[in-house]
Amino acid sequence: MKRFFAILSFVMFAATEVNAQSTKDIRINEVLVKNVDNYMDDYGHRSSWIELHNTSHSTIDIGGCYLVATHEGNETRYQIPTGDPRSKIGPMGYQVFYCEGTGTKGTLYTNFALENVESVAMLNASGKGEPIDVVEIDYNLQQPDVSIGWMTREDCNEVFGALPQTTPNTPNDTEPIVPRHAPFRLMAPHGGVMGLSATSIGFSVLTICHFSTSPNPRD
């Protein structure tokens, strides 16, 4: 019997660790604070919303985790219900939570709105420890129907800021990223233009060096 309970405890501990580790792959991907004429919820209403993104290649259950809004040091917590299929985010998937403030319309509707909120965070199911992710918000700088979120720059690094368009439940990068060297490759896929340019530069440098080191005929 003792051995049975020892094995059971180990399995439960391992499951908890796997869940805690996997939720770290969730991030707050996009936030729309002032929804005037943008994305509508299932009831046909427009409210602020938060989009979560599963950055891993496995399904993650976020049931039991908390979404937290902070205003003037006061926290309002919304615990994501367990047992709802919508609490599971598929590989590289997305889920939008509507911040309409009542928390009575179902799993995807929080008990807080984002008006005058200073930050939104996500906590694990214990409600303790470091946030899984957190986003600072300056409410006065938010523009109507302009969301903030993660986007990829030309140098392939990600930055968080105002997005060119809202992208609920889809990737934020709506246009293909063109690296800086791409125009050369488009002109010559095999690198001919880049090679010719490098050869020309090298020849020019050698020519300058030759004349700068040649003996002066007057000497």
Side-chain angles (χ1 to χ4, degrees), residues 143-182:
Q143 299 297 317
D145 299 326
V146 176
S147 61
I148 54 176
W150 288 102
M151 54 188 161
T152 308
R153 303 186 306 188
E154 289 183 359
D155 59 6
C156 294
N157 289 322
E158 286 190 304
V159 295
F160 193 92
L163 299 176
Q165 65 184 73
T166 57
T167 58
N169 287 317
T170 58
N172 293 347
D173 295 319
T174 56
E175 298 181 0
I177 303 302
V178 180
R180 294 176 182 176
H181 66 272

PDB file of all heavy atoms in Angstrom, residues 143-182:
ATOM      1  N   GLN A 143      -4.416  53.981 -28.721  1.00  0.00           N
ATOM      2  CA  GLN A 143      -5.259  54.569 -29.764  1.00  0.00           C
ATOM      3  C   GLN A 143      -6.453  53.656 -30.048  1.00  0.00           C
ATOM      4  O   GLN A 143      -6.347  52.430 -29.937  1.00  0.00           O
ATOM      5  CB  GLN A 143      -4.443  54.767 -31.042  1.00  0.00           C
ATOM      6  CG  GLN A 143      -3.259  55.697 -30.889  1.00  0.00           C
ATOM      7  CD  GLN A 143      -3.676  57.108 -30.525  1.00  0.00           C
ATOM      8  OE1 GLN A 143      -4.635  57.649 -31.091  1.00  0.00           O
ATOM      9  NE2 GLN A 143      -2.981  57.704 -29.567  1.00  0.00           N
ATOM     10  N   PRO A 144      -7.595  54.236 -30.419  1.00  0.00           N
ATOM     11  CA  PRO A 144      -8.758  53.410 -30.728  1.00  0.00           C
ATOM     12  C   PRO A 144      -8.464  52.414 -31.850  1.00  0.00           C
ATOM     13  O   PRO A 144      -7.891  52.775 -32.888  1.00  0.00           O
ATOM     14  CB  PRO A 144      -9.807  54.443 -31.172  1.00  0.00           C
ATOM     15  CG  PRO A 144      -9.386  55.721 -30.520  1.00  0.00           C
ATOM     16  CD  PRO A 144      -7.888  55.679 -30.504  1.00  0.00           C
ATOM     17  N   ASP A 145      -8.815  51.165 -31.613  1.00  0.00           N
ATOM     18  CA  ASP A 145      -8.694  50.090 -32.594  1.00  0.00           C
ATOM     19  C   ASP A 145      -7.258  49.785 -33.014  1.00  0.00           C
ATOM     20  O   ASP A 145      -7.032  49.154 -34.056  1.00  0.00           O
ATOM     21  CB  ASP A 145      -9.540  50.393 -33.835  1.00  0.00           C
ATOM     22  CG  ASP A 145     -11.015  50.519 -33.517  1.00  0.00           C
ATOM     23  OD1 ASP A 145     -11.485  49.793 -32.609  1.00  0.00           O
ATOM     24  OD2 ASP A 145     -11.700  51.348 -34.146  1.00  0.00           O
ATOM     25  N   VAL A 146      -6.280  50.231 -32.227  1.00  0.00           N
ATOM     26  CA  VAL A 146      -4.875  49.911 -32.476  1.00  0.00           C
ATOM     27  C   VAL A 146      -4.393  49.022 -31.335  1.00  0.00           C
ATOM     28  O   VAL A 146      -4.358  49.438 -30.177  1.00  0.00           O
ATOM     29  CB  VAL A 146      -3.997  51.178 -32.559  1.00  0.00           C
ATOM     30  CG1 VAL A 146      -2.528  50.791 -32.730  1.00  0.00           C
ATOM     31  CG2 VAL A 146      -4.456  52.068 -33.710  1.00  0.00           C
ATOM     32  N   SER A 147      -4.043  47.790 -31.656  1.00  0.00           N
ATOM     33  CA  SER A 147      -3.595  46.854 -30.631  1.00  0.00           C
ATOM     34  C   SER A 147      -2.089  46.936 -30.451  1.00  0.00           C
ATOM     35  O   SER A 147      -1.361  47.466 -31.297  1.00  0.00           O
ATOM     36  CB  SER A 147      -4.006  45.424 -31.006  1.00  0.00           C
ATOM     37  OG  SER A 147      -3.398  45.043 -32.231  1.00  0.00           O
ATOM     38  N   ILE A 148      -1.624  46.397 -29.341  1.00  0.00           N
ATOM     39  CA  ILE A 148      -0.195  46.289 -29.076  1.00  0.00           C
ATOM     40  C   ILE A 148       0.142  44.815 -28.960  1.00  0.00           C
ATOM     41  O   ILE A 148      -0.662  44.020 -28.467  1.00  0.00           O
ATOM     42  CB  ILE A 148       0.223  47.046 -27.800  1.00  0.00           C
ATOM     43  CG1 ILE A 148      -0.609  46.590 -26.592  1.00  0.00           C
ATOM     44  CG2 ILE A 148       0.096  48.547 -27.987  1.00  0.00           C
ATOM     45  CD1 ILE A 148      -0.191  47.235 -25.274  1.00  0.00           C
ATOM     46  N   GLY A 149       1.329  44.434 -29.444  1.00  0.00           N
ATOM     47  CA  GLY A 149       1.691  43.030 -29.403  1.00  0.00           C
ATOM     48  C   GLY A 149       3.070  42.776 -29.964  1.00  0.00           C
ATOM     49  O   GLY A 149       3.815  43.702 -30.292  1.00  0.00           O
ATOM     50  N   TRP A 150       3.399  41.497 -30.086  1.00  0.00           N
ATOM     51  CA  TRP A 150       4.709  41.080 -30.580  1.00  0.00           C
ATOM     52  C   TRP A 150       4.724  41.067 -32.100  1.00  0.00           C
ATOM     53  O   TRP A 150       3.785  40.596 -32.736  1.00  0.00           O
ATOM     54  CB  TRP A 150       5.051  39.691 -30.056  1.00  0.00           C
ATOM     55  CG  TRP A 150       5.382  39.684 -28.605  1.00  0.00           C
ATOM     56  CD1 TRP A 150       4.569  39.298 -27.573  1.00  0.00           C
ATOM     57  CD2 TRP A 150       6.613  40.083 -28.011  1.00  0.00           C
ATOM     58  NE1 TRP A 150       5.212  39.441 -26.374  1.00  0.00           N
ATOM     59  CE2 TRP A 150       6.483  39.916 -26.606  1.00  0.00           C
ATOM     60  CE3 TRP A 150       7.823  40.573 -28.508  1.00  0.00           C
ATOM     61  CZ2 TRP A 150       7.501  40.223 -25.711  1.00  0.00           C
ATOM     62  CZ3 TRP A 150       8.845  40.878 -27.619  1.00  0.00           C
ATOM     63  CH2 TRP A 150       8.682  40.692 -26.248  1.00  0.00           C
ATOM     64  N   MET A 151       5.792  41.612 -32.669  1.00  0.00           N
ATOM     65  CA  MET A 151       5.971  41.583 -34.119  1.00  0.00           C
ATOM     66  C   MET A 151       7.451  41.391 -34.434  1.00  0.00           C
ATOM     67  O   MET A 151       8.320  41.676 -33.614  1.00  0.00           O
ATOM     68  CB  MET A 151       5.459  42.882 -34.754  1.00  0.00           C
ATOM     69  CG  MET A 151       6.044  44.140 -34.160  1.00  0.00           C
ATOM     70  SD  MET A 151       5.233  45.615 -34.782  1.00  0.00           S
ATOM     71  CE  MET A 151       5.706  46.823 -33.512  1.00  0.00           C
ATOM     72  N   THR A 152       7.721  40.897 -35.642  1.00  0.00           N
ATOM     73  CA  THR A 152       9.082  40.598 -36.054  1.00  0.00           C
ATOM     74  C   THR A 152       9.626  41.702 -36.954  1.00  0.00           C
ATOM     75  O   THR A 152       8.973  42.088 -37.931  1.00  0.00           O
ATOM     76  CB  THR A 152       9.142  39.259 -36.811  1.00  0.00           C
ATOM     77  OG1 THR A 152       8.513  38.247 -36.027  1.00  0.00           O
ATOM     78  CG2 THR A 152      10.584  38.861 -37.087  1.00  0.00           C
ATOM     79  N   ARG A 153      10.805  42.201 -36.643  1.00  0.00           N
ATOM     80  CA  ARG A 153      11.435  43.250 -37.444  1.00  0.00           C
ATOM     81  C   ARG A 153      12.217  42.638 -38.606  1.00  0.00           C
ATOM     82  O   ARG A 153      12.335  41.436 -38.731  1.00  0.00           O
ATOM     83  CB  ARG A 153      12.369  44.095 -36.579  1.00  0.00           C
ATOM     84  CG  ARG A 153      11.693  44.738 -35.376  1.00  0.00           C
ATOM     85  CD  ARG A 153      12.642  45.680 -34.653  1.00  0.00           C
ATOM     86  NE  ARG A 153      13.893  45.020 -34.293  1.00  0.00           N
ATOM     87  CZ  ARG A 153      14.835  45.578 -33.525  1.00  0.00           C
ATOM     88  NH1 ARG A 153      14.659  46.800 -33.078  1.00  0.00           N
ATOM     89  NH2 ARG A 153      15.933  44.914 -33.217  1.00  0.00           N
ATOM     90  N   GLU A 154      12.776  43.528 -39.449  1.00  0.00           N
ATOM     91  CA  GLU A 154      13.542  43.059 -40.604  1.00  0.00           C
ATOM     92  C   GLU A 154      14.782  42.277 -40.185  1.00  0.00           C
ATOM     93  O   GLU A 154      15.259  41.418 -40.931  1.00  0.00           O
ATOM     94  CB  GLU A 154      13.946  44.247 -41.481  1.00  0.00           C
ATOM     95  CG  GLU A 154      12.776  44.881 -42.224  1.00  0.00           C
ATOM     96  CD  GLU A 154      13.217  45.996 -43.140  1.00  0.00           C
ATOM     97  OE1 GLU A 154      14.434  46.278 -43.178  1.00  0.00           O
ATOM     98  OE2 GLU A 154      12.364  46.571 -43.826  1.00  0.00           O
ATOM     99  N   ASP A 155      15.323  42.597 -39.000  1.00  0.00           N
ATOM    100  CA  ASP A 155      16.502  41.866 -38.540  1.00  0.00           C
ATOM    101  C   ASP A 155      16.123  40.554 -37.857  1.00  0.00           C
ATOM    102  O   ASP A 155      16.965  39.888 -37.247  1.00  0.00           O
ATOM    103  CB  ASP A 155      17.349  42.727 -37.602  1.00  0.00           C
ATOM    104  CG  ASP A 155      16.571  43.186 -36.365  1.00  0.00           C
ATOM    105  OD1 ASP A 155      15.415  42.749 -36.184  1.00  0.00           O
ATOM    106  OD2 ASP A 155      17.113  43.989 -35.587  1.00  0.00           O
ATOM    107  N   CYS A 156      14.836  40.197 -37.961  1.00  0.00           N
ATOM    108  CA  CYS A 156      14.282  38.937 -37.435  1.00  0.00           C
ATOM    109  C   CYS A 156      14.194  38.908 -35.910  1.00  0.00           C
ATOM    110  O   CYS A 156      13.921  37.847 -35.328  1.00  0.00           O
ATOM    111  CB  CYS A 156      15.082  37.738 -37.940  1.00  0.00           C
ATOM    112  SG  CYS A 156      14.936  37.519 -39.732  1.00  0.00           S
ATOM    113  N   ASN A 157      14.423  40.029 -35.252  1.00  0.00           N
ATOM    114  CA  ASN A 157      14.222  40.123 -33.801  1.00  0.00           C
ATOM    115  C   ASN A 157      12.788  40.542 -33.514  1.00  0.00           C
ATOM    116  O   ASN A 157      12.187  41.307 -34.283  1.00  0.00           O
ATOM    117  CB  ASN A 157      15.195  41.128 -33.182  1.00  0.00           C
ATOM    118  CG  ASN A 157      16.627  40.624 -33.182  1.00  0.00           C
ATOM    119  OD1 ASN A 157      16.861  39.436 -32.955  1.00  0.00           O
ATOM    120  ND2 ASN A 157      17.578  41.497 -33.440  1.00  0.00           N
ATOM    121  N   GLU A 158      12.243  40.048 -32.402  1.00  0.00           N
ATOM    122  CA  GLU A 158      10.872  40.397 -32.034  1.00  0.00           C
ATOM    123  C   GLU A 158      10.852  41.610 -31.107  1.00  0.00           C
ATOM    124  O   GLU A 158      11.694  41.740 -30.222  1.00  0.00           O
ATOM    125  CB  GLU A 158      10.192  39.218 -31.346  1.00  0.00           C
ATOM    126  CG  GLU A 158       9.801  38.098 -32.300  1.00  0.00           C
ATOM    127  CD  GLU A 158       8.929  37.067 -31.621  1.00  0.00           C
ATOM    128  OE1 GLU A 158       9.355  36.522 -30.583  1.00  0.00           O
ATOM    129  OE2 GLU A 158       7.825  36.805 -32.121  1.00  0.00           O
ATOM    130  N   VAL A 159       9.875  42.473 -31.312  1.00  0.00           N
ATOM    131  CA  VAL A 159       9.683  43.645 -30.457  1.00  0.00           C
ATOM    132  C   VAL A 159       8.204  43.727 -30.099  1.00  0.00           C
ATOM    133  O   VAL A 159       7.346  43.177 -30.794  1.00  0.00           O
ATOM    134  CB  VAL A 159      10.133  44.951 -31.151  1.00  0.00           C
ATOM    135  CG1 VAL A 159      11.626  44.940 -31.414  1.00  0.00           C
ATOM    136  CG2 VAL A 159       9.372  45.165 -32.459  1.00  0.00           C
ATOM    137  N   PHE A 160       7.916  44.414 -28.997  1.00  0.00           N
ATOM    138  CA  PHE A 160       6.524  44.587 -28.561  1.00  0.00           C
ATOM    139  C   PHE A 160       6.143  46.048 -28.752  1.00  0.00           C
ATOM    140  O   PHE A 160       6.825  46.939 -28.267  1.00  0.00           O
ATOM    141  CB  PHE A 160       6.376  44.197 -27.089  1.00  0.00           C
ATOM    142  CG  PHE A 160       4.942  44.051 -26.650  1.00  0.00           C
ATOM    143  CD1 PHE A 160       4.304  42.817 -26.718  1.00  0.00           C
ATOM    144  CD2 PHE A 160       4.226  45.135 -26.182  1.00  0.00           C
ATOM    145  CE1 PHE A 160       2.992  42.668 -26.312  1.00  0.00           C
ATOM    146  CE2 PHE A 160       2.909  45.004 -25.783  1.00  0.00           C
ATOM    147  CZ  PHE A 160       2.285  43.769 -25.840  1.00  0.00           C
ATOM    148  N   GLY A 161       5.054  46.284 -29.475  1.00  0.00           N
ATOM    149  CA  GLY A 161       4.624  47.656 -29.717  1.00  0.00           C
ATOM    150  C   GLY A 161       3.315  47.688 -30.474  1.00  0.00           C
ATOM    151  O   GLY A 161       2.622  46.662 -30.608  1.00  0.00           O
ATOM    152  N   ALA A 162       2.958  48.885 -30.980  1.00  0.00           N
ATOM    153  CA  ALA A 162       1.714  49.046 -31.733  1.00  0.00           C
ATOM    154  C   ALA A 162       1.785  48.265 -33.041  1.00  0.00           C
ATOM    155  O   ALA A 162       2.770  48.347 -33.771  1.00  0.00           O
ATOM    156  CB  ALA A 162       1.465  50.526 -32.000  1.00  0.00           C
ATOM    157  N   LEU A 163       0.743  47.507 -33.326  1.00  0.00           N
ATOM    158  CA  LEU A 163       0.700  46.683 -34.532  1.00  0.00           C
ATOM    159  C   LEU A 163       0.017  47.442 -35.672  1.00  0.00           C
ATOM    160  O   LEU A 163      -0.879  48.270 -35.434  1.00  0.00           O
ATOM    161  CB  LEU A 163      -0.058  45.386 -34.263  1.00  0.00           C
ATOM    162  CG  LEU A 163       0.540  44.475 -33.184  1.00  0.00           C
ATOM    163  CD1 LEU A 163      -0.375  43.273 -32.948  1.00  0.00           C
ATOM    164  CD2 LEU A 163       1.926  44.015 -33.574  1.00  0.00           C
ATOM    165  N   PRO A 164       0.395  47.157 -36.924  1.00  0.00           N
ATOM    166  CA  PRO A 164      -0.227  47.846 -38.058  1.00  0.00           C
ATOM    167  C   PRO A 164      -1.697  47.502 -38.225  1.00  0.00           C
ATOM    168  O   PRO A 164      -2.456  48.270 -38.807  1.00  0.00           O
ATOM    169  CB  PRO A 164       0.603  47.373 -39.264  1.00  0.00           C
ATOM    170  CG  PRO A 164       1.257  46.104 -38.815  1.00  0.00           C
ATOM    171  CD  PRO A 164       1.488  46.261 -37.349  1.00  0.00           C
ATOM    172  N   GLN A 165      -2.126  46.346 -37.708  1.00  0.00           N
ATOM    173  CA  GLN A 165      -3.535  45.965 -37.730  1.00  0.00           C
ATOM    174  C   GLN A 165      -3.768  44.912 -36.658  1.00  0.00           C
ATOM    175  O   GLN A 165      -2.840  44.232 -36.223  1.00  0.00           O
ATOM    176  CB  GLN A 165      -3.934  45.415 -39.100  1.00  0.00           C
ATOM    177  CG  GLN A 165      -3.246  44.111 -39.472  1.00  0.00           C
ATOM    178  CD  GLN A 165      -3.609  43.653 -40.870  1.00  0.00           C
ATOM    179  OE1 GLN A 165      -3.160  44.222 -41.849  1.00  0.00           O
ATOM    180  NE2 GLN A 165      -4.428  42.617 -40.954  1.00  0.00           N
ATOM    181  N   THR A 166      -5.010  44.813 -36.208  1.00  0.00           N
ATOM    182  CA  THR A 166      -5.332  43.807 -35.203  1.00  0.00           C
ATOM    183  C   THR A 166      -5.384  42.425 -35.863  1.00  0.00           C
ATOM    184  O   THR A 166      -5.831  42.289 -37.002  1.00  0.00           O
ATOM    185  CB  THR A 166      -6.681  44.099 -34.535  1.00  0.00           C
ATOM    186  OG1 THR A 166      -7.707  44.171 -35.539  1.00  0.00           O
ATOM    187  CG2 THR A 166      -6.639  45.417 -33.766  1.00  0.00           C
ATOM    188  N   THR A 167      -4.928  41.420 -35.122  1.00  0.00           N
ATOM    189  CA  THR A 167      -4.888  40.056 -35.669  1.00  0.00           C
ATOM    190  C   THR A 167      -5.359  39.042 -34.629  1.00  0.00           C
ATOM    191  O   THR A 167      -4.606  38.146 -34.249  1.00  0.00           O
ATOM    192  CB  THR A 167      -3.457  39.707 -36.128  1.00  0.00           C
ATOM    193  OG1 THR A 167      -2.573  39.841 -35.005  1.00  0.00           O
ATOM    194  CG2 THR A 167      -2.985  40.626 -37.239  1.00  0.00           C
ATOM    195  N   PRO A 168      -6.585  39.160 -34.123  1.00  0.00           N
ATOM    196  CA  PRO A 168      -7.048  38.225 -33.092  1.00  0.00           C
ATOM    197  C   PRO A 168      -7.094  36.792 -33.596  1.00  0.00           C
ATOM    198  O   PRO A 168      -7.573  36.512 -34.704  1.00  0.00           O
ATOM    199  CB  PRO A 168      -8.463  38.747 -32.770  1.00  0.00           C
ATOM    200  CG  PRO A 168      -8.872  39.517 -33.992  1.00  0.00           C
ATOM    201  CD  PRO A 168      -7.622  40.116 -34.523  1.00  0.00           C
ATOM    202  N   ASN A 169      -6.545  35.893 -32.789  1.00  0.00           N
ATOM    203  CA  ASN A 169      -6.530  34.454 -33.072  1.00  0.00           C
ATOM    204  C   ASN A 169      -5.704  34.076 -34.297  1.00  0.00           C
ATOM    205  O   ASN A 169      -5.854  32.966 -34.830  1.00  0.00           O
ATOM    206  CB  ASN A 169      -7.966  33.909 -33.227  1.00  0.00           C
ATOM    207  CG  ASN A 169      -8.691  33.819 -31.911  1.00  0.00           C
ATOM    208  OD1 ASN A 169      -8.121  33.393 -30.907  1.00  0.00           O
ATOM    209  ND2 ASN A 169      -9.942  34.244 -31.889  1.00  0.00           N
ATOM    210  N   THR A 170      -4.829  34.974 -34.744  1.00  0.00           N
ATOM    211  CA  THR A 170      -3.944  34.689 -35.874  1.00  0.00           C
ATOM    212  C   THR A 170      -2.576  35.319 -35.600  1.00  0.00           C
ATOM    213  O   THR A 170      -2.447  36.184 -34.724  1.00  0.00           O
ATOM    214  CB  THR A 170      -4.493  35.250 -37.194  1.00  0.00           C
ATOM    215  OG1 THR A 170      -4.677  36.667 -37.069  1.00  0.00           O
ATOM    216  CG2 THR A 170      -5.814  34.596 -37.567  1.00  0.00           C
ATOM    217  N   PRO A 171      -1.534  34.935 -36.342  1.00  0.00           N
ATOM    218  CA  PRO A 171      -0.207  35.533 -36.138  1.00  0.00           C
ATOM    219  C   PRO A 171      -0.226  37.045 -36.351  1.00  0.00           C
ATOM    220  O   PRO A 171      -0.985  37.565 -37.179  1.00  0.00           O
ATOM    221  CB  PRO A 171       0.656  34.833 -37.198  1.00  0.00           C
ATOM    222  CG  PRO A 171      -0.041  33.545 -37.467  1.00  0.00           C
ATOM    223  CD  PRO A 171      -1.500  33.834 -37.334  1.00  0.00           C
ATOM    224  N   ASN A 172       0.617  37.752 -35.618  1.00  0.00           N
ATOM    225  CA  ASN A 172       0.680  39.211 -35.722  1.00  0.00           C
ATOM    226  C   ASN A 172       1.404  39.684 -36.971  1.00  0.00           C
ATOM    227  O   ASN A 172       1.142  40.780 -37.457  1.00  0.00           O
ATOM    228  CB  ASN A 172       1.379  39.798 -34.486  1.00  0.00           C
ATOM    229  CG  ASN A 172       0.565  39.598 -33.228  1.00  0.00           C
ATOM    230  OD1 ASN A 172      -0.606  39.250 -33.273  1.00  0.00           O
ATOM    231  ND2 ASN A 172       1.193  39.792 -32.082  1.00  0.00           N
ATOM    232  N   ASP A 173       2.343  38.876 -37.468  1.00  0.00           N
ATOM    233  CA  ASP A 173       3.096  39.264 -38.665  1.00  0.00           C
ATOM    234  C   ASP A 173       2.248  38.955 -39.891  1.00  0.00           C
ATOM    235  O   ASP A 173       2.132  37.807 -40.326  1.00  0.00           O
ATOM    236  CB  ASP A 173       4.430  38.520 -38.722  1.00  0.00           C
ATOM    237  CG  ASP A 173       5.347  38.909 -37.578  1.00  0.00           C
ATOM    238  OD1 ASP A 173       5.406  40.115 -37.252  1.00  0.00           O
ATOM    239  OD2 ASP A 173       5.998  38.013 -37.007  1.00  0.00           O
ATOM    240  N   THR A 174       1.664  39.991 -40.467  1.00  0.00           N
ATOM    241  CA  THR A 174       0.757  39.814 -41.598  1.00  0.00           C
ATOM    242  C   THR A 174       1.473  39.870 -42.939  1.00  0.00           C
ATOM    243  O   THR A 174       0.893  39.519 -43.960  1.00  0.00           O
ATOM    244  CB  THR A 174      -0.331  40.904 -41.572  1.00  0.00           C
ATOM    245  OG1 THR A 174       0.299  42.199 -41.559  1.00  0.00           O
ATOM    246  CG2 THR A 174      -1.202  40.762 -40.333  1.00  0.00           C
ATOM    247  N   GLU A 175       2.720  40.337 -42.956  1.00  0.00           N
ATOM    248  CA  GLU A 175       3.487  40.399 -44.194  1.00  0.00           C
ATOM    249  C   GLU A 175       4.780  39.622 -44.014  1.00  0.00           C
ATOM    250  O   GLU A 175       5.346  39.592 -42.916  1.00  0.00           O
ATOM    251  CB  GLU A 175       3.801  41.852 -44.573  1.00  0.00           C
ATOM    252  CG  GLU A 175       2.554  42.691 -44.845  1.00  0.00           C
ATOM    253  CD  GLU A 175       2.897  44.109 -45.228  1.00  0.00           C
ATOM    254  OE1 GLU A 175       4.109  44.423 -45.277  1.00  0.00           O
ATOM    255  OE2 GLU A 175       1.973  44.894 -45.474  1.00  0.00           O
ATOM    256  N   PRO A 176       5.270  38.965 -45.073  1.00  0.00           N
ATOM    257  CA  PRO A 176       6.527  38.220 -44.951  1.00  0.00           C
ATOM    258  C   PRO A 176       7.689  39.137 -44.617  1.00  0.00           C
ATOM    259  O   PRO A 176       7.767  40.274 -45.103  1.00  0.00           O
ATOM    260  CB  PRO A 176       6.698  37.580 -46.341  1.00  0.00           C
ATOM    261  CG  PRO A 176       5.869  38.427 -47.255  1.00  0.00           C
ATOM    262  CD  PRO A 176       4.708  38.907 -46.425  1.00  0.00           C
ATOM    263  N   ILE A 177       8.561  38.668 -43.752  1.00  0.00           N
ATOM    264  CA  ILE A 177       9.729  39.442 -43.363  1.00  0.00           C
ATOM    265  C   ILE A 177      10.798  39.300 -44.447  1.00  0.00           C
ATOM    266  O   ILE A 177      11.171  38.199 -44.834  1.00  0.00           O
ATOM    267  CB  ILE A 177      10.279  38.962 -42.004  1.00  0.00           C
ATOM    268  CG1 ILE A 177       9.169  39.047 -40.942  1.00  0.00           C
ATOM    269  CG2 ILE A 177      11.481  39.790 -41.589  1.00  0.00           C
ATOM    270  CD1 ILE A 177       8.592  40.424 -40.758  1.00  0.00           C
ATOM    271  N   VAL A 178      11.273  40.436 -44.949  1.00  0.00           N
ATOM    272  CA  VAL A 178      12.298  40.438 -45.990  1.00  0.00           C
ATOM    273  C   VAL A 178      13.617  40.882 -45.362  1.00  0.00           C
ATOM    274  O   VAL A 178      13.787  42.055 -45.017  1.00  0.00           O
ATOM    275  CB  VAL A 178      11.929  41.394 -47.150  1.00  0.00           C
ATOM    276  CG1 VAL A 178      13.025  41.365 -48.222  1.00  0.00           C
ATOM    277  CG2 VAL A 178      10.585  41.004 -47.735  1.00  0.00           C
ATOM    278  N   PRO A 179      14.576  39.962 -45.178  1.00  0.00           N
ATOM    279  CA  PRO A 179      15.879  40.344 -44.621  1.00  0.00           C
ATOM    280  C   PRO A 179      16.558  41.394 -45.498  1.00  0.00           C
ATOM    281  O   PRO A 179      16.261  41.522 -46.682  1.00  0.00           O
ATOM    282  CB  PRO A 179      16.670  39.029 -44.621  1.00  0.00           C
ATOM    283  CG  PRO A 179      15.628  37.964 -44.650  1.00  0.00           C
ATOM    284  CD  PRO A 179      14.486  38.527 -45.445  1.00  0.00           C
ATOM    285  N   ARG A 180      17.489  42.127 -44.916  1.00  0.00           N
ATOM    286  CA  ARG A 180      18.128  43.223 -45.633  1.00  0.00           C
ATOM    287  C   ARG A 180      18.895  42.770 -46.865  1.00  0.00           C
ATOM    288  O   ARG A 180      19.052  43.522 -47.811  1.00  0.00           O
ATOM    289  CB  ARG A 180      19.064  43.967 -44.677  1.00  0.00           C
ATOM    290  CG  ARG A 180      18.304  44.680 -43.556  1.00  0.00           C
ATOM    291  CD  ARG A 180      19.233  45.325 -42.562  1.00  0.00           C
ATOM    292  NE  ARG A 180      18.480  45.958 -41.490  1.00  0.00           N
ATOM    293  CZ  ARG A 180      19.043  46.533 -40.440  1.00  0.00           C
ATOM    294  NH1 ARG A 180      20.357  46.524 -40.309  1.00  0.00           N
ATOM    295  NH2 ARG A 180      18.293  47.087 -39.509  1.00  0.00           N
ATOM    296  N   HIS A 181      19.404  41.528 -46.847  1.00  0.00           N
ATOM    297  CA  HIS A 181      20.164  41.057 -47.997  1.00  0.00           C
ATOM    298  C   HIS A 181      19.266  40.503 -49.092  1.00  0.00           C
ATOM    299  O   HIS A 181      19.740  40.163 -50.172  1.00  0.00           O
ATOM    300  CB  HIS A 181      21.151  39.959 -47.568  1.00  0.00           C
ATOM    301  CG  HIS A 181      20.471  38.716 -47.089  1.00  0.00           C
ATOM    302  ND1 HIS A 181      20.108  38.544 -45.778  1.00  0.00           N
ATOM    303  CD2 HIS A 181      20.063  37.609 -47.757  1.00  0.00           C
ATOM    304  CE1 HIS A 181      19.520  37.361 -45.647  1.00  0.00           C
ATOM    305  NE2 HIS A 181      19.471  36.773 -46.830  1.00  0.00           N
ATOM    306  N   ALA A 182      17.941  40.405 -48.820  1.00  0.00           N
ATOM    307  CA  ALA A 182      17.033  39.777 -49.768  1.00  0.00           C
ATOM    308  C   ALA A 182      16.997  40.453 -51.136  1.00  0.00           C
ATOM    309  O   ALA A 182      16.904  39.765 -52.151  1.00  0.00           O
ATOM    310  CB  ALA A 182      15.633  39.706 -49.172  1.00  0.00           C
TER     311      ALA A 182
END
